[in-house]
Amino acid sequence: MPRIAYVNGRYVRHAVAAVHIEDRGYQFADGVYEVCEVARGFIMDMTRHLDRLDRSLGHLEIAWPMSRKALQTILREVVKRNHVVNGMVYLQVTRGVAGRDHVFPAAVRSALVVTAKRSDPAVALARAETGVKVITVPENRWERVDIKTVGLLPNVLAKQKAKLAGAYEAWFVDPDGTVKEGASTNAWIVTKDGKLVTRPAESGILRGITRTTLFDLAAKMGLTIEERSFSVAEAKAAREAFITAATTVVMPVVAIDGDPVANGHPGSIALSLRGSFFDVAEKTRA
Ligand code: PDD
């Protein structure tokens, strides 16, 4: 059964899906994206993802490619056509296709691509039960990482560096030693007295949707969240550390730059947050 992608108005075979060579996403990274988790046949937190898409598009003055309702239908349709029960759905909106010129083209239609991919929840669970390693890298991204643009070259390079070091994620660190976020995840620690700590979303990170939903979950579980910066040293000495994203949900971190976090095993709070996430997130049937 072939994979299917949505490209500018048509459902096409993934293997031959293509955009024009002068799509501004391709030439200038002039576009934005979203990734939603798909779990047990539901698209998770679609409302929040589309709200953030609206914000990203607004900041870059890119028009919605269609109505929000029509986009929701396409997301569900792509998930359905690919028989994704667990995995993710990806959407990308670029400013559109126009002759190469840095300034915004006049009257161009924004371009939309949607893909979906299956993944095995058993693999993710096994990874969560082992925990993942992270390395730290100096922050070298632009200031507007709060906008979810497809301009991800520093993230790509950091992630590759992590892979070569035998780690899963790279944490960007400011010159003052505080952790910003991962290359594709938000960063968290748990203090000795059981408080969750994560950097304020106004402070040079992407406001992750998983991060936002974790606030709802923490409240339900009676856990306190402190939104403040934390240093690499504090993370290494913490009771637990973990990362969050639509692609990883809650993933325990067991080592930072080769030093174990606590006893080097996944923390119980991270695992219980992971276990309850599905119950709290918004679920849209695909
Ligand atoms: N990344 N920070 C960065 C830099 C990210 O790229 C992401 C998501 C997050 C977490 O956001 P959310 O909880 O909304 O997924 C934080 C996606 C998954 C990606 O690039 O594949």
Side-chain angles (χ1 to χ4, degrees), residues 122-164:
V123 172
L125 184 63
R127 181 176 285 144
E129 283 170 353
T130 315
V132 299
K133 298 173 183 169
V134 306
I135 60 163
T136 61
V137 294
E139 174 66 285
N140 62 353
R141 301 173 301 162
W142 74 326
E143 281 163 17
R144 296 311 307 273
V145 294
D146 59 301
I147 306 171
K148 199 163 173 59
T149 82
V150 295
L152 291 173
L153 191 52
N155 310 58
V156 165
L157 298 177
K159 206 90 175 179
Q160 180 65 14
K161 196 170 175 193
K163 185 182 172 184
L164 293 176

Side-chain angles (χ1 to χ4, degrees), residues 33-35 49 52 88 141 145 148 152 155 172 181-186 205-211 244-247:
Y33 75 107
E34 283 295 328
V35 180
H49 281 282
R52 187 173 63 186
M88 57 102 137
R141 301 173 301 162
V145 294
K148 199 163 173 59
L152 291 173
N155 310 58
F172 290 111
E181 63 181 331
S184 63
T185 60
N186 287 122
I205 63 165
L206 179 76
R207 187 187 291 275
I209 302 305
T210 318
R211 176 187 181 281
T244 55
T247 42

Side-chain angles (χ1 to χ4, degrees), residues 49-146:
H49 281 282
L50 294 182
D51 286 349
R52 187 173 63 186
L53 175 69
D54 184 55
R55 178 181 183 278
S56 298
L57 290 171
H59 276 293
L60 300 186
E61 297 174 45
I62 296 176
W64 272 75
M66 59 187 56
S67 73
R68 184 173 169 128
K69 206 158 168 249
L71 180 54
Q72 282 174 343
T73 303
I74 291 167
L75 290 174
R76 292 168 58 213
E77 189 63 28
V78 173
V79 169
K80 244 184 352 204
R81 287 191 188 215
N82 289 281
H83 303 279
V84 178
V85 177
N86 295 289
M88 57 102 137
V89 58
Y90 174 90
L91 76 90
Q92 174 171 320
V93 181
T94 71
R95 198 178 302 279
V97 175
R100 187 175 184 278
D101 182 0
H102 290 70
V103 297
F104 296 177
V108 68
R109 279 188 59 172
S110 27
L112 171 66
V113 168
V114 180
T115 59
K117 201 167 95 183
R118 279 185 265 177
S119 63
D120 183 352
V123 172
L125 184 63
R127 181 176 285 144
E129 283 170 353
T130 315
V132 299
K133 298 173 183 169
V134 306
I135 60 163
T136 61
V137 294
E139 174 66 285
N140 62 353
R141 301 173 301 162
W142 74 326
E143 281 163 17
R144 296 311 307 273
V145 294
D146 59 301

